[in-house]
Amino acid sequence: MKPLDEAEIEEVLIDNGLGVLSLVEGTEPYGIPMSFGYGDEMISFMMQREGDAESRKMAALESNPTACLTVYEHEEGPPERWRSVIVTGELYEIPDDEEGEAFFNLADNAVFAPDFDVLNVSPEEIDLRYIGLTIEDISGREYSPLAVYGQR
């Protein structure tokens, strides 16, 4: 196992626009797969309230903004390589003047499900919010036989 340096951490975040966002809902952990955008040290998500009902993720966010994003990748070998990045911080609603940057980051490297098309839905039909994650702590690791033996 080897720690990733800052450039390698950024590479993992840019190359993988899908991770697991872990929230705290009351006293219960709540992890959900989420598309995210990353650029200029900004991590952003699009979150939607689900119809008239309060979404579980928005309720968790509002009760406790502390969150953890786990991003990982696996490359088939030889040699096989696993890399992961963990970011902890607090979620916040991105201010209007930063929504353009958040949108660009999401468009640039987020991974969305096939046929996911919120951009062609009228604003009256959807309550979409841009949410950011502060980067309070960030770390990354790599495992591969080459990394273990000091080669790359």
Side-chain angles (χ1 to χ4, degrees), residues 23-100:
L23 308 170
V24 179
E25 183 182 29
T27 59
E28 297 296 315
Y30 176 49
I32 50 176
M34 288 287 296
S35 296
F36 70 92
Y38 177 79
D40 296 325
E41 298 183 12
M42 175 190 229
I43 296 174
S44 52
F45 308 92
M46 277 193 310
M47 292 190 185
Q48 169 188 351
R49 290 190 189 272
E50 295 157 1
D52 294 332
E54 181 76 16
S55 75
R56 185 174 178 193
K57 66 181 168 269
M58 292 304 290
L61 183 156
E62 290 168 3
S63 72
N64 185 343
T66 301
C68 176
L69 175 66
T70 303
V71 181
Y72 56 91
E73 65 184 15
H74 171 239
E75 294 178 8
E76 296 285 333
E80 202 167 3
R81 179 170 80 162
W82 297 78
R83 296 195 303 177
S84 63
V85 170
I86 297 176
V87 181
T88 56
E90 289 198 359
L91 294 169
Y92 63 97
E93 192 156 353
I94 293 175
D96 292 345
D97 64 334
E98 294 178 23
E99 283 186 359

